[in-house]
Amino acid sequence: MLKKIIIWLLTTAVVMVLFPFLAVRFGNSDSGMMVSMFLLLILNPICFLATGIFAGQQAHRLWSLPFLLDVLFAISFGIILQMDVLSMCMYIGIYTAVAFLSMAVTVVIKHKEQ
């Protein structure tokens, strides 16, 4: 299980930190904005949803994974893209709710299967 967690953390770190960095570094202002909107509205919610489903498999051990993803999001969009604090807090709250809701649904489905 530890190997799966490490692979998951590396994958999410690439999605949450490396993609915004590459968008800022190699894109011009228009394409950087388009990539940022793609990350904020499509890729990051999917990543938080998948994290909740993954953490829901063993919720008693992995309940803190969405908070770790929040830290990665804050690093990527707060430092790299210089997002203002109020917007970042709003996105973190929504994404965390998505992650914990998907974790709860996964736990309920897992208990019904048993």
Side-chain angles (χ1 to χ4, degrees):
M1 186 64 177
L2 184 62
K3 185 177 179 181
K4 286 183 180 180
I5 294 172
I6 291 172
I7 291 171
W8 183 257
L9 289 176
L10 290 175
T11 304
T12 54
V14 165
V15 170
M16 300 298 284
V17 178
L18 189 61
F19 285 173
F21 173 75
L22 292 175
V24 169
R25 178 76 175 120
F26 296 112
N28 59 18
S29 61
D30 293 335
S31 66
M33 179 60 87
M34 186 176 68
V35 170
S36 297
M37 295 311 291
F38 173 75
L39 289 172
L40 280 173
L41 300 175
I42 297 172
L43 195 60
N44 286 344
I46 290 172
C47 192
F48 274 85
L49 180 73
T51 299
I53 293 170
F54 178 73
Q57 300 296 322
Q58 290 187 349
H60 62 282
R61 290 180 56 202
L62 302 176
W63 62 269
S64 62
L65 274 182
F67 293 121
L68 187 62
L69 207 56
D70 289 338
V71 171
L72 290 174
F73 177 80
I75 290 170
S76 66
F77 281 85
I79 296 172
I80 296 172
L81 295 177
Q82 298 174 351
M83 180 183 263
D84 63 304
V85 176
L86 184 61
S87 297
M88 190 169 54
C89 289
M90 180 188 69
Y91 279 110
I92 286 174
I94 292 169
Y95 292 161
T96 305
V98 166
F100 278 108
L101 185 63
S102 63
M103 187 187 315
V105 168
T106 303
V107 168
V108 168
I109 290 172
K110 186 177 175 184
H111 282 280
K112 284 191 177 195
E113 288 177 353
Q114 293 178 355

